[in-house]
Amino acid sequence: MDTADRPTALADTRADLLLFPYDFRLGVRSAAERLHTEIEDRLAAMCGTEREKAGRVVVIGHSMGGLVARYWLGPLGGADRCAALITLGAPHRGAPKALDWLVNGMLGGGVPFGRASAVLREWQSVYDLLPRYRMIAQPGGTPLYPYELGPAVTARAPGFSARAKAAFTLHEEIREFWSRPEPGIALPKVTAVFARGHGTLHRAAVVGDRLEVGDKDPDWLPNSGWGGDGTVPAISAIPVEADSDRNAWRAVPVKHLALASAPEALENLAMITSPSLSAVLGDTPQSPWLGVDLDDVLITGTTPSLRVRLLGAERDPATRIHAE
């Protein structure tokens, strides 16, 4: 394992396990370029020929890290180096929470965080996380992409339309590669670990010069009622090319941050690196779970509102839910 992320440590370019931190603020493309350099340096130290470098890498990416990995694999040409990609709650199709923060600003317990909102509007990463599907209802018209919003709605985010369009183009670059890979390049196996059932911002609506964003699933999109992990809708956490590949889906009951340590990642890694193991198929957790809706930010001294739903089982008079 490489410990180069510690200030006093030197990088071991022959380490076979790499923790890859990156500057979230700079966005997907910047982080992917760094990842490309890092992997190429390490493969050069470990492998003598180009043939030996093929299929040597397995990537586990949480949240935006999944997008970083897919950009490296696609537009930056890393696919022939990679055997498999495991994403954990990755917003392959974007996260409506990013749209809400950019247009309406951050709220905590109903209190606006003006300075934090202004800072977020300067970060390319938040634009890169905008939904790349039509999730904004408008009166009497076709649902909109975020970059199609008018200036009156996005007045608090200067330059929103251009930056949102650039972010959409980035997602299209990823999709283009995965739908039509270069000749002779074998696509790595992709496993998408995601969560369902938790209240997750998913649908927006233009109301006058305002944008209302809520957790009701868009009724014009498939799989209504799935919800998500509290940050990323479940349908967004499944990459486009895996739409019909149920074997690539792994549903878990935890929320977004907890997905980073989900045991399913290591289980899938074992399946990939140990041919004798057989895959566990299906997209439903093995036992019932709780869908939890709770604000990300709570104000000290206030009473939080918590909503809990039993999922994966029918509730009857004998059912008991215990909080620990």
Side-chain angles (χ1 to χ4, degrees), residues 86-108:
I86 302 169
T87 64
L88 308 169
H92 296 290
R93 308 171 203 235
K97 179 177 283 189
L99 175 64
D100 189 36
W101 282 0
L102 286 169
V103 173
N104 297 324
M106 289 183 65
L107 292 176

Side-chain angles (χ1 to χ4, degrees), residues 229-243:
D229 61 23
T231 297
V232 177
I235 67 169
S236 179
I238 300 171
V240 175
E241 72 278 358
D243 278 350

Side-chain angles (χ1 to χ4, degrees), residues 109 297-305:
V297 181
L298 304 176
I299 304 300
T300 302
T302 64
T303 301
S305 174

Side-chain angles (χ1 to χ4, degrees), residues 10-317:
L10 296 176
D12 178 1
T13 56
R14 296 193 300 173
D16 59 4
L17 177 61
L18 169 66
L19 174 65
F20 180 72
Y22 57 88
D23 190 334
F24 170 84
R25 299 168 296 178
L26 300 181
V28 169
R29 186 177 286 106
S30 173
E33 289 170 350
R34 279 195 54 239
L35 179 62
H36 173 77
T37 300
E38 193 78 37
I39 289 176
E40 288 302 310
D41 287 348
R42 289 166 187 276
L43 288 177
M46 298 172 67
C47 305
T49 67
E50 286 295 307
R51 187 182 188 89
E52 291 174 336
K53 296 176 184 178
R56 290 294 299 270
V57 180
V58 175
V59 181
I60 300 175
H62 174 252
S63 196
M64 195 178 92
L67 300 184
V68 171
R70 279 168 66 81
Y71 196 86
W72 164 67
L73 288 163
L76 296 186
D80 64 333
R81 310 292 203 220
C82 190
L85 168 65
I86 302 169
T87 64
L88 308 169
H92 296 290
R93 308 171 203 235
K97 179 177 283 189
L99 175 64
D100 189 36
W101 282 0
L102 286 169
V103 173
N104 297 324
M106 289 183 65
L107 292 176
V111 177
F113 292 168
R115 290 185 179 179
S117 300
V119 170
L120 285 173
R121 290 177 178 130
E122 295 299 318
W123 293 358
Q124 181 59 44
S125 57
V126 187
Y127 290 89
D128 288 348
L129 296 175
L130 285 171
R132 59 165 303 277
Y133 55 96
R134 296 182 180 275
M135 45 74 66
I136 306 170
Q138 62 170 336
T142 301
L144 303 172
Y145 292 108
Y147 69 82
E148 294 177 318
L149 287 171
V153 178
T154 62
R156 285 190 283 178
F160 176 89
S161 180
R163 297 185 72 174
K165 179 64 174 179
F168 181 86
T169 300
L170 178 140
H171 280 277
E172 284 295 286
E173 290 177 34
I174 297 173
R175 184 196 63 78
E176 179 71 19
F177 173 83
W178 285 85
S179 62
R180 285 188 290 274
E182 296 177 7
I185 299 296
L187 292 176
K189 173 181 172 58
V190 177
T191 301
V193 181
F194 63 97
R196 297 202 308 248
H198 305 288
T200 305
L201 294 182
H202 196 184
R203 170 179 176 158
V206 176
V207 181
D209 61 356
R210 295 182 299 107
L211 184 71
E212 295 182 353
V213 186
D215 62 2
K216 182 180 179 182
D217 292 345
D219 53 16
W220 59 88
L221 294 177
N223 298 331
S224 180
W226 271 28
D229 61 23
T231 297
V232 177
I235 67 169
S236 179
I238 300 171
V240 175
E241 72 278 358
D243 278 350
S244 302
D245 184 7
R246 292 294 186 94
N247 292 343
W249 301 4
R250 298 290 185 274
V252 297
V254 300
K255 297 195 74 176
H256 186 70
L257 290 179
L259 278 166
S261 56
E264 283 75 11
L266 293 180
E267 290 172 4
N268 277 275
L269 182 61
M271 294 177 196
I272 293 164
T273 57
S274 303
S276 62
L277 296 179
S278 59
V280 180
L281 305 182
D283 68 332
T284 303
Q286 297 295 313
S287 58
W289 76 101
L290 299 179
V292 180
D293 300 349
L294 180 67
D295 285 346
D296 293 327
V297 181
L298 304 176
I299 304 300
T300 302
T302 64
T303 301
S305 174
L306 176 67
R307 185 174 64 177
V308 178
R309 298 181 302 282
L310 177 65
L311 301 168
E314 294 295 328
R315 185 170 183 175
D316 58 41

